[in-house]
Amino acid sequence: MTVSRTMRGSESVTPETRRRVQDAARSIGYVPDRAAGALKAGTGNLVGAIMPNIHNILFAEMLQGLGDGLNSHALALSVGISRRSRAEERRLVGEFLAMRPCGIVLHDTQHLPETRARLQDAGIPIVELGDLPRNPIDMAVSFSNRAAARAVTTHLIGRGYRRIAFVSIPFRSSTSSRLRMAGYRDALRAAGLPFDEDRVIETPGGYPEAEVALDSLWRITPRPDAIFGASDVLAVGMLLAAQRRGISVPRQLAVAGFDDHAVAGAISPRLTSLSIPRYRMGATAADAIVARIRGQSMPAISDLGFELIEGEST
């Protein structure tokens, strides 16, 4: 029983006994059978996380915070990549539930009805990242994309810009992009400014695509006096493309972004951007899962907020 308690990470084992058991386990190459333990207990020590991708620093830092938080409680993290596909998310949820996890984290708040139903019936902690849904499956840890985009657009309006364009990855593939678009429109409406569809561009989120988007916007009459890129990759790509074309930033064109990547502070002029607590979101999600496993109550929604970082680009 002492060995069992040690392998489960029980706090009732003294440090000296824990050391002796772990030394003995290493000496014989013993590895606990987590699958068997999960079958007996109903759940294991695995937490599944489903992300759109991991090449985006936003998701990578969230995973780092989540992994660090879980590791400190002897919980393991397994990651699935949905590629922003609801069908793939549904498949991954099924795969994780078959492993009897002790929690699941999803970076999305919109799901297929059957996915949502399976997660609600799972009886384990579920944390949604990416936004603050009105009706979370279980718990949500994030910030408001709509409020954040409204803040960036309001900043541009406050600086005197009136012909503000909006560039984003395709709305159909991203809940957060649709919400940021809504926040952009909210700010225009509040300021009494017209919404012009010609100033809205959907494009894949890479630097070459950002350059094409800038060229498209620069052909509009009258030209925009500011561009809000719904990600820093798009905003930086357009800022650099503008400089290559001899367009002065911000004298002829202001540029603002979203995410506050490291590159936003490394370029000149420094990019105005929206900073979100990426690492803390992951760490808070881990804390929420651990608290629920221990039988502690947690708020359904944890709003971690955001911060507008004003740079010289606006």
Side-chain angles (χ1 to χ4, degrees), residues 89-124:
E89 180 191 66
R90 175 181 57 192
R91 187 190 71 79
L92 289 168
V93 165
E95 293 288 343
F96 278 132
L97 290 178
M99 300 177 189
R100 298 176 182 262
C102 57
I104 291 182
V105 177
L106 310 100
H107 191 280
D108 205 345
T109 57
Q110 300 290 322
H111 317 280
L112 294 175
E114 54 265 45
T115 302
R116 185 179 181 89
R118 289 196 70 180
L119 290 168
Q120 288 175 323
D121 292 342
I124 58 174

XYZ file of all heavy atoms in Angstrom, residues 89-124:
286
model
N -11.954 17.522 -34.004
C -12.086 17.712 -32.560
C -12.960 16.620 -31.968
O -12.641 16.050 -30.922
C -12.696 19.083 -32.263
C -12.854 19.344 -30.762
C -13.685 20.568 -30.454
O -14.899 20.553 -30.761
O -13.133 21.533 -29.902
N -14.074 16.290 -32.642
C -14.959 15.223 -32.173
C -14.206 13.894 -32.087
O -14.338 13.156 -31.097
C -16.149 15.091 -33.125
C -17.093 13.922 -32.790
C -18.226 13.856 -33.795
N -17.698 13.719 -35.159
C -18.453 13.870 -36.249
N -19.733 14.161 -36.153
N -17.903 13.721 -37.448
N -13.404 13.591 -33.101
C -12.644 12.336 -33.090
C -11.652 12.318 -31.940
O -11.514 11.310 -31.225
C -11.912 12.162 -34.421
C -11.217 10.800 -34.565
C -10.317 10.762 -35.782
N -9.129 11.576 -35.613
C -8.052 11.191 -34.922
N -8.029 10.009 -34.316
N -6.997 11.987 -34.818
N -10.950 13.422 -31.748
C -9.943 13.485 -30.689
C -10.577 13.375 -29.307
O -10.013 12.741 -28.401
C -9.151 14.793 -30.809
C -8.192 14.878 -31.999
C -7.686 16.307 -32.171
C -7.022 13.922 -31.817
N -11.734 13.990 -29.123
C -12.439 13.863 -27.848
C -12.746 12.396 -27.564
O -12.557 11.897 -26.447
C -13.735 14.702 -27.848
C -14.652 14.291 -26.686
C -13.409 16.182 -27.742
N -13.210 11.658 -28.601
C -13.468 10.239 -28.430
C -12.221 9.457 -28.057
O -12.268 8.564 -27.188
N -11.098 9.779 -28.716
C -9.834 9.092 -28.422
C -9.394 9.354 -26.981
O -8.971 8.435 -26.268
C -8.754 9.555 -29.393
C -8.978 9.155 -30.839
C -8.764 7.677 -31.075
O -8.141 7.011 -30.210
O -9.222 7.173 -32.114
N -9.506 10.596 -26.546
C -9.088 10.917 -25.186
C -10.004 10.259 -24.149
O -9.535 9.718 -23.140
C -9.063 12.435 -24.976
C -7.819 13.103 -25.489
C -7.893 14.246 -26.280
C -6.565 12.603 -25.181
C -6.741 14.860 -26.755
C -5.409 13.208 -25.655
C -5.501 14.346 -26.438
N -11.300 10.312 -24.372
C -12.219 9.713 -23.407
C -11.984 8.210 -23.276
O -12.173 7.637 -22.196
C -13.666 9.993 -23.809
C -14.123 11.452 -23.659
C -15.560 11.618 -24.133
C -13.979 11.928 -22.216
N -11.553 7.566 -24.363
C -11.250 6.133 -24.312
C -10.058 5.845 -23.402
O -9.900 4.726 -22.909
C -10.983 5.605 -25.716
N -9.207 6.854 -23.174
C -8.045 6.696 -22.298
C -8.390 6.948 -20.829
O -7.513 6.896 -19.973
C -6.932 7.660 -22.723
C -6.442 7.460 -24.125
S -5.187 8.731 -24.540
C -4.985 8.459 -26.300
N -9.649 7.251 -20.550
C -10.106 7.558 -19.190
C -9.279 8.679 -18.559
O -8.639 8.494 -17.507
C -10.079 6.305 -18.308
C -11.005 5.190 -18.813
C -10.882 3.945 -17.973
N -11.726 2.878 -18.483
C -12.927 2.582 -17.990
N -13.411 3.279 -16.991
N -13.629 1.590 -18.504
N -9.270 9.867 -19.161
C -8.475 10.975 -18.623
C -9.115 11.552 -17.368
O -10.298 11.298 -17.081
C -8.504 11.988 -19.762
C -9.845 11.777 -20.392
C -10.072 10.281 -20.332
N -8.343 12.326 -16.628
C -8.902 13.008 -15.454
C -9.315 14.429 -15.786
O -9.789 15.167 -14.924
C -7.907 12.999 -14.299
S -6.313 13.736 -14.672
N -9.164 14.848 -17.057
C -9.603 16.167 -17.486
C -9.304 16.381 -18.956
O -8.434 15.705 -19.525
N -10.027 17.300 -19.583
C -9.800 17.652 -20.980
C -9.840 19.173 -21.118
O -10.693 19.844 -20.530
C -10.844 17.009 -21.917
C -10.648 15.492 -21.976
C -10.770 17.595 -23.322
C -11.612 14.774 -22.906
N -8.900 19.701 -21.911
C -8.821 21.134 -22.202
C -8.986 21.315 -23.703
O -8.349 20.606 -24.490
C -7.471 21.724 -21.743
C -7.375 23.196 -22.109
C -7.287 21.531 -20.244
N -9.842 22.257 -24.098
C -10.065 22.515 -25.523
C -9.861 23.991 -25.819
O -10.368 24.846 -25.088
C -11.488 22.126 -25.941
C -12.004 20.751 -25.552
C -12.908 20.866 -24.318
C -12.767 20.116 -26.690
N -9.128 24.281 -26.908
C -8.992 25.675 -27.302
C -10.057 25.996 -28.350
O -9.783 26.151 -29.539
C -7.606 25.995 -27.868
C -7.398 27.479 -28.031
N -7.904 28.180 -29.088
C -6.775 28.383 -27.236
C -7.592 29.453 -28.957
N -6.907 29.604 -27.833
N -11.265 26.071 -27.891
C -12.400 26.508 -28.702
C -13.606 26.525 -27.792
O -13.618 25.880 -26.740
C -12.640 25.582 -29.902
C -13.355 26.303 -31.054
O -13.902 27.396 -30.808
O -13.355 25.789 -32.175
N -14.620 27.264 -28.183
C -15.851 27.317 -27.401
C -17.061 26.957 -28.253
O -18.185 27.009 -27.767
C -16.047 28.723 -26.799
O -16.055 29.697 -27.855
C -14.923 29.048 -25.816
N -16.836 26.619 -29.524
C -17.904 26.178 -30.419
C -17.617 24.721 -30.801
O -16.531 24.425 -31.301
C -17.954 27.054 -31.676
C -18.216 28.529 -31.394
C -19.638 28.781 -30.916
O -20.575 28.160 -31.399
N -19.792 29.676 -29.955
N -18.596 23.848 -30.595
C -18.380 22.426 -30.819
C -19.592 21.810 -31.513
O -20.696 22.364 -31.469
C -18.150 21.701 -29.480
C -17.260 22.426 -28.532
N -15.892 22.400 -28.629
C -17.551 23.227 -27.470
C -15.372 23.144 -27.659
N -16.355 23.648 -26.948
N -19.382 20.663 -32.135
C -20.506 19.905 -32.661
C -21.396 19.473 -31.497
O -20.893 19.202 -30.401
C -20.014 18.679 -33.429
C -19.232 18.947 -34.727
C -18.705 17.639 -35.304
C -20.094 19.668 -35.753
N -22.709 19.399 -31.708
C -23.607 19.023 -30.601
C -23.226 17.703 -29.937
O -23.282 17.583 -28.706
C -24.971 18.935 -31.285
C -24.869 19.861 -32.457
C -23.454 19.746 -32.934
N -22.826 16.703 -30.747
C -22.479 15.411 -30.152
C -21.184 15.485 -29.337
O -21.026 14.773 -28.340
C -22.369 14.327 -31.229
C -21.428 14.660 -32.367
C -22.138 15.273 -33.563
O -22.987 16.167 -33.362
O -21.838 14.840 -34.693
N -20.252 16.360 -29.761
C -19.025 16.549 -28.988
C -19.340 17.155 -27.631
O -18.861 16.696 -26.593
C -18.046 17.461 -29.743
O -17.751 16.900 -31.017
C -16.752 17.634 -28.957
N -20.167 18.178 -27.642
C -20.549 18.847 -26.401
C -21.269 17.875 -25.460
O -20.989 17.836 -24.252
C -21.442 20.043 -26.717
C -21.809 20.883 -25.499
C -22.685 22.078 -25.870
N -22.984 22.860 -24.687
C -22.251 23.855 -24.237
N -21.149 24.198 -24.897
N -22.582 24.512 -23.148
N -22.165 17.071 -26.020
C -22.918 16.121 -25.198
C -21.995 15.086 -24.564
O -22.142 14.748 -23.376
C -23.980 15.434 -26.049
N -21.029 14.576 -25.322
C -20.106 13.567 -24.781
C -19.265 14.153 -23.652
O -19.012 13.486 -22.639
C -19.190 13.036 -25.883
C -19.871 12.157 -26.904
C -18.867 11.369 -27.715
N -18.226 10.335 -26.898
C -17.305 9.494 -27.366
N -16.911 9.581 -28.637
N -16.761 8.581 -26.587
N -18.832 15.387 -23.825
C -18.011 16.019 -22.792
C -18.830 16.298 -21.537
O -18.339 16.129 -20.416
C -17.407 17.319 -23.337
C -16.324 17.133 -24.408
C -15.997 18.455 -25.082
C -15.060 16.531 -23.796
N -20.078 16.720 -21.719
C -20.929 16.974 -20.552
C -21.226 15.696 -19.780
O -21.373 15.724 -18.557
C -22.235 17.632 -21.003
C -22.071 19.077 -21.438
C -23.347 19.677 -21.990
O -24.124 18.994 -22.670
N -23.575 20.947 -21.711
N -21.291 14.574 -20.486
C -21.604 13.292 -19.845
C -20.365 12.583 -19.287
O -20.497 11.554 -18.620
C -22.283 12.356 -20.852
C -23.670 12.848 -21.250
O -24.239 13.684 -20.522
O -24.165 12.420 -22.317
N -19.180 13.137 -19.563
C -17.944 12.430 -19.199
C -17.711 12.375 -17.694
O -17.018 11.483 -17.191
C -16.742 13.078 -19.892
N -18.231 13.351 -16.947
C -18.050 13.347 -15.500
C -16.651 13.714 -15.043
O -16.231 13.343 -13.946
N -15.905 14.424 -15.884
C -14.550 14.868 -15.539
C -14.457 16.376 -15.780
O -15.281 16.950 -16.501
C -13.477 14.145 -16.392
C -13.719 14.389 -17.897
C -13.458 12.657 -16.072
C -12.648 13.833 -18.792
